Amino acid sequence: MTTAKPNSRDRTLHLVGNAHIDPVWLWRWPEGLQEIRATFQSAIDRMEEYPDFVFTCDSVMYLEWIEQHDPDLFASIRKRVADGRWQVVGGWWIEPDCNIPSGESFVRQALYGQRYLIEKFGEAATIGCNLDPFGHNATIPQILRKSGVDGYIFLRPGPHEQMLPGQFFHWEAPDGSRVMAYRLPNEYCTPGKDIGNHLDKSLAMMPPDEPELMVFYGVGNHGGGPTKANLDSIARLDAIGGLPKLELSHPERFFERVRDREDVPVHAGELQHHGPGCYSAHSGIKAWNRRAENDLQRAEKWASVAAAVAGEMYPVEKLTEAWKLVLFNQFHDILAGTSIRSAYDDARDDYGRARSIAADVFNRATQAIARRIDIPLADGTVPVVVFNPHPWELEQDVEVEFAQAATVRLTDQDGRPVPVQLTRSEASMMGSRGRLAFRATVPPLGHRVYHLLPGAVDADGPVRATDTTLENEHLRLEVDPASGWLTSFIDKSTGAELIPAKPAPHAVVIDDQSDTWGHRVRAYDQAIGSFTGRRVRLVESGPVRAVLRIESAYGTSRMAEELVLSAGARSVEVRTVVDWHEQLKTLKLRFPTALTDVTATHEIPYGFIERTPDGTEEPTQAWVDVTGTLPGGKRAGLTVVNDSKHGHDVTGAEIGMTALRSPVYAWHEPKILDEDGVYEYLDQGRQEFRYVLLPHGEDWRAADPARRAAELNQPSFALLETFHEGPLAQSQAHADDGAGSVLVTVVKGDEDASGDAIVRAYESRGAAASARIALPMLGQHRLIEAEFGPHEIKTFRVPADPAAPVTETDLLELPVPANSSPEA
């Protein structure tokens, strides 16, 4: 690199005209749509007036909106793209929150975004672009590389939030994939007038001798884009000559200049933190998103099975519509919980439509399969088909509503008795409906038929229970009625007592004066009280499980946590209902342990990462683990698995899960709330969620938390059936990943609707592995055999023609080039 003076004309400042547009934030989406139309028309108009002007656009969904609502404008954009004057970057459907969505959602951002660009413009984006999200998970470089992108532009975290090795650097994912990343200086948008002040601030934040630099300009957030005043000021400032050469440019041109340099440093890991309150703000949107993601993946798997074994049409278009609704609502100001209250009415409806589509696809598939199962007539019995949505054997409690009978018993398909237990029905009508629970064992991505028969239900079972204790073959726990939480939790396999002698409070109330984003917050640790026990009682006990109900209170808020321990289970499920009425406060559920010398591990999208256990609020997917040393020197650990919570901390040996936050909607500091103001606060009223306490020995990998989390988030499904002949056995597997470290997450039809199947898997434990994935639904001997590197995501195309070989593809479902490399 040649050293140059700060104002040297040998230096080039690439000026990128853009308009960051929030389709939803302090406004709802119809206003956002109108602003996108106006901004894009303005960009086209500026091109007529300024021959050198180049406009840059990310968020592919905006282009589809324009195609649908303004075909003439879309035609103009296509022409300018062909001319090179309109540069498309990003390649993702929207600028999502880059922490909270699942790994598969990030894949779909690229899948639908890049394929749209290829279809409409003949080429995909090569530069990723997420200017406004509030942190970036460590898996992103791998997802970018495997979708044709080798560069990435971001703004946050800023230099005051995370030190990075340079203005631009090779960003490395845990699997070794790299992209060239560039942190924008100062801001991604400017006022509509002279941009000299913006350039001065930007240059002051960047290396003084770097010959190639990049700055974005243009009115943003509510749209607008580069103005005449912006462009005129650039010409004036460049003519003065006291700044580096100002070049109307675009990101790909900048990356061309620096991509092959040998002096670029490397940063491995995530880009954090900014706005930690976003991990938990608006628990509703977090839950809607998690459920929709899982409903869609479940629907795809069973639609693929139904296509293979029942001849059903795979509904590509319906599933694409549903996924696009989910991806849109992963926009960072929606999913982060930072938009106005009324925007969440729209989000709720969108997620509802996506889940409704997923439910319809899933129901059609399972009904088509169920009616093809050979179930001979047996008078007085009712068949129950249980569907396992995972490609490994599932052992799980199943609950099913049925027409109430005075007595009932259960057998499997071979007539062997299965313990069954009556539980609370959703209907309160005496004798009309009932609900039962039983422990089912179901083949991988398979189904199994059980049979309800008249008979007596056993009253006793292997779970020993009192009003304060639960114990099965593997676990023993005891609850303190005064504190409303555990005073003992013993894992019999290790003999480990996980609870310290003087456990800290469990349900802790935090004074939270931070804004909706949680700006300038590192940890939520200002405890001002805790929920205290009101009542502990045994509400269910039988041959399948026992349930302890803990009722507690803080102020006018109430909470009930039901601890469910099943026969043979190695974990405890906790079903939680909170009636929350606190304002400017946060509820942390804390899980103290007796461990020392702790390693804290958090799940991230399609992977995991170790973090320092110093109490920092961290973005997490569905599980957090602490592993350490117990008194006496034995190694053990505890994993907490959740169904909808993303903000967590580990403080020493204690896991904290942020359950609820109650700032004001769309409140951004430095605004100070008026004591007499009328405001609406987040997370008021009834909230429901579930989590699992999973103890283990010296290595969390043996507990396989990724699979346990998948089972909590995609539970089994039971369907009452009738009798009929059919080609399918009463117990049958359709796909099996072997339950090793390579975990299959996706089985779906291909996007081209050719009849091929797409299978996606990732290595979940951080070690190279050989995978053998059986696909009996596609033929008795159909297999995928592949080598996975640590943390690697792989995608395979399985042709409909059984004689055609399986091939590996990229994330766009296109063939992987023979000489492809994960590194830049």
Side-chain angles (χ1 to χ4, degrees), residues 622-685:
W623 61 267
V624 180
D625 179 81
V626 290
T627 298
T629 305
L630 288 165
K634 184 172 292 187
R635 297 283 292 177
L638 175 69
T639 305
V640 178
V641 180
N642 73 82
D643 75 347
S644 59
K645 302 301 174 185
H646 290 271
H648 290 77
D649 71 88
V650 177
T651 306
E654 183 175 285
I655 295 172
M657 179 171 70
T658 305
L660 302 170
R661 284 191 68 227
S662 54
V664 169
Y665 275 92
W667 169 33
H668 196 306
E669 56 110 46
K671 165 70 177 177
I672 297 176
L673 299 179
D674 184 343
E675 289 185 3
D676 294 327
V678 177
Y679 301 108
E680 293 190 74
Y681 294 82
L682 275 71
D683 285 356
Q684 301 298 292

Side-chain angles (χ1 to χ4, degrees), residues 90-425:
W92 285 9
W93 199 243
I94 201 79
E95 279 194 26
D97 182 282
C98 287
N99 285 311
I100 295 168
S102 68
E104 187 55 28
S105 286
F106 286 105
V107 171
R108 299 307 173 99
Q109 290 284 352
L111 175 70
Y112 298 120
Q114 292 282 60
R115 288 180 68 95
Y116 181 90
L117 294 177
I118 292 169
E119 177 187 351
K120 303 298 180 179
F121 302 100
E123 58 184 16
T126 59
I127 307 298
C129 191
N130 281 308
L131 304 180
D132 201 19
F134 315 125
H136 308 257
N137 76 79
T139 310
I140 287 176
Q142 181 179 182
I143 292 171
L144 292 171
R145 292 293 300 196
K146 294 197 171 188
S147 57
V149 172
D150 62 6
Y152 192 65
I153 309 168
F154 69 101
L155 176 69
R156 302 185 180 94
H160 63 294
E161 294 165 322
Q162 184 179 19
M163 291 184 63
L164 292 169
Q167 195 71 41
F168 52 91
F169 51 90
H170 294 300
W171 183 21
E172 184 174 281
D175 77 311
S177 297
R178 290 181 179 179
V179 296
M180 179 82 80
Y182 184 90
R183 176 159 63 186
L184 279 180
N186 190 31
E187 262 294 352
Y188 51 72
C189 59
T190 60
K193 299 181 180 179
D194 188 291
I195 69 167
N197 188 50
H198 172 64
L199 297 185
D200 289 343
K201 287 183 176 180
S202 299
L203 287 166
M205 297 174 68
M206 295 190 291
D209 56 352
E210 174 59 51
E212 301 284 344
L213 294 167
M214 179 168 60
V215 171
F216 277 39
Y217 72 96
V219 180
N221 288 335
H222 198 260
T227 65
K228 293 181 180 181
N230 288 164
L231 291 159
D232 290 342
S233 71
I234 292 170
R236 180 184 65 80
L237 292 165
D238 192 48
I240 293 173
L243 293 173
K245 178 184 177 183
L246 305 183
E247 180 176 323
L248 297 181
S249 188
H250 56 84
E252 178 56 43
R253 185 179 299 164
F254 166 78
F255 278 95
E256 284 176 358
R257 305 268 183 90
V258 300
R259 186 177 280 126
D260 297 328
R261 280 178 31 178
E262 297 181 356
D263 62 339
V264 178
V266 176
H267 171 77
E270 55 192 347
L271 303 175
Q272 306 291 3
H273 302 82
H274 180 91
C278 294
Y279 313 152
S280 305
H282 202 299
S283 60
I285 193 76
K286 276 40 171 203
W288 304 336
N289 180 73
R290 180 80 69 86
R291 291 165 189 161
E293 290 173 328
N294 281 279
D295 286 356
L296 281 166
Q297 287 179 250
R298 181 183 72 163
E300 288 176 335
K301 284 181 274 193
W302 281 104
S304 299
V305 175
V309 306
E312 294 289 306
M313 182 71 70
Y314 185 85
V316 175
E317 292 185 2
K318 291 179 68 173
L319 289 165
T320 297
E321 176 191 355
W323 267 112
K324 286 181 177 180
L325 288 168
V326 171
L327 299 182
F328 169 65
N329 285 284
Q330 290 175 347
F331 179 73
H332 49 269
D333 279 317
I334 302 175
L335 188 54
T338 56
S339 292
I340 57 175
R341 186 208 57 77
S342 57
Y344 290 99
D345 295 338
D346 300 328
R348 176 203 61 211
D349 294 346
D350 278 353
Y351 276 115
R353 176 159 174 74
R355 293 188 68 199
S356 179
I357 292 171
D360 180 63
V361 170
F362 175 72
N363 183 60
R364 286 174 178 270
T366 52
Q367 296 275 356
I369 293 164
R371 69 174 179 263
R372 287 170 172 81
I373 300 173
D374 188 26
I375 308 176
L377 175 64
D379 288 337
T381 70
V382 178
V384 180
V385 185
V386 181
F387 294 89
N388 169 13
H390 306 290
W392 58 86
E393 184 177 83
L394 178 66
E395 185 178 356
Q396 188 175 66
D397 284 3
V398 173
E399 296 185 19
V400 60
E401 295 272 338
F402 71 111
Q404 178 71 61
T407 56
V408 66
R409 60 189 180 91
L410 190 73
T411 69
D412 66 11
Q413 76 278 4
D414 297 320
R416 291 184 292 261
V418 175
V420 64
Q421 177 172 325
L422 294 177
T423 186
R424 286 167 292 180
S425 171

Side-chain angles (χ1 to χ4, degrees), residues 336-559:
T338 56
S339 292
I340 57 175
R341 186 208 57 77
S342 57
Y344 290 99
D345 295 338
D346 300 328
R348 176 203 61 211
D349 294 346
D350 278 353
Y351 276 115
R353 176 159 174 74
R355 293 188 68 199
S356 179
I357 292 171
D360 180 63
V361 170
F362 175 72
N363 183 60
R364 286 174 178 270
T366 52
Q367 296 275 356
I369 293 164
R371 69 174 179 263
R372 287 170 172 81
I373 300 173
D374 188 26
I375 308 176
L377 175 64
D379 288 337
T381 70
V382 178
V384 180
V385 185
V386 181
F387 294 89
N388 169 13
H390 306 290
W392 58 86
E393 184 177 83
L394 178 66
E395 185 178 356
Q396 188 175 66
D397 284 3
V398 173
E399 296 185 19
V400 60
E401 295 272 338
F402 71 111
Q404 178 71 61
T407 56
V408 66
R409 60 189 180 91
L410 190 73
T411 69
D412 66 11
Q413 76 278 4
D414 297 320
R416 291 184 292 261
V418 175
V420 64
Q421 177 172 325
L422 294 177
T423 186
R424 286 167 292 180
S425 171
E426 291 190 64
S428 300
M429 297 174 64
M430 181 69 71
S432 175
R433 292 282 288 179
R435 189 176 185 88
L436 57 84
F438 62 96
R439 193 79 170 172
T441 303
V442 191
L445 193 58
H447 64 263
R448 189 177 188 185
V449 179
Y450 291 85
H451 298 268
L452 284 170
L453 302 88
V457 175
D458 292 335
D460 299 321
V463 180
R464 295 179 291 280
T466 71
D467 280 338
T468 57
T469 63
L470 295 173
E471 183 176 1
N472 70 1
E473 308 94 310
H474 306 294
L475 304 173
R476 186 185 188 279
L477 58 89
E478 184 171 354
V479 173
D480 172 27
S483 68
W485 193 241
L486 301 179
T487 56
S488 178
F489 189 20
I490 296 173
D491 181 354
K492 294 182 180 181
S493 66
T494 63
E497 170 59 83
L498 287 168
I499 304 298
K502 294 182 179 180
H506 166 58
V508 179
V509 179
I510 306 294
D511 181 35
D512 179 5
Q513 300 296 317
S514 65
D515 66 10
T516 318
W517 285 256
H519 283 119
R520 310 185 207 294
V521 168
R522 183 192 69 86
Y524 288 103
D525 56 3
Q526 301 299 310
I528 56 173
S530 62
F531 279 68
T532 56
R534 290 292 184 266
R535 187 181 185 190
V536 179
R537 58 193 170 112
L538 184 67
V539 296
E540 189 175 330
S541 183
V544 176
R545 67 192 187 193
V547 180
L548 271 182
R549 180 179 175 88
I550 305 170
E551 297 172 359
S552 59
Y554 174 88
T556 60
S557 298
R558 298 291 182 268
M559 180 166 66

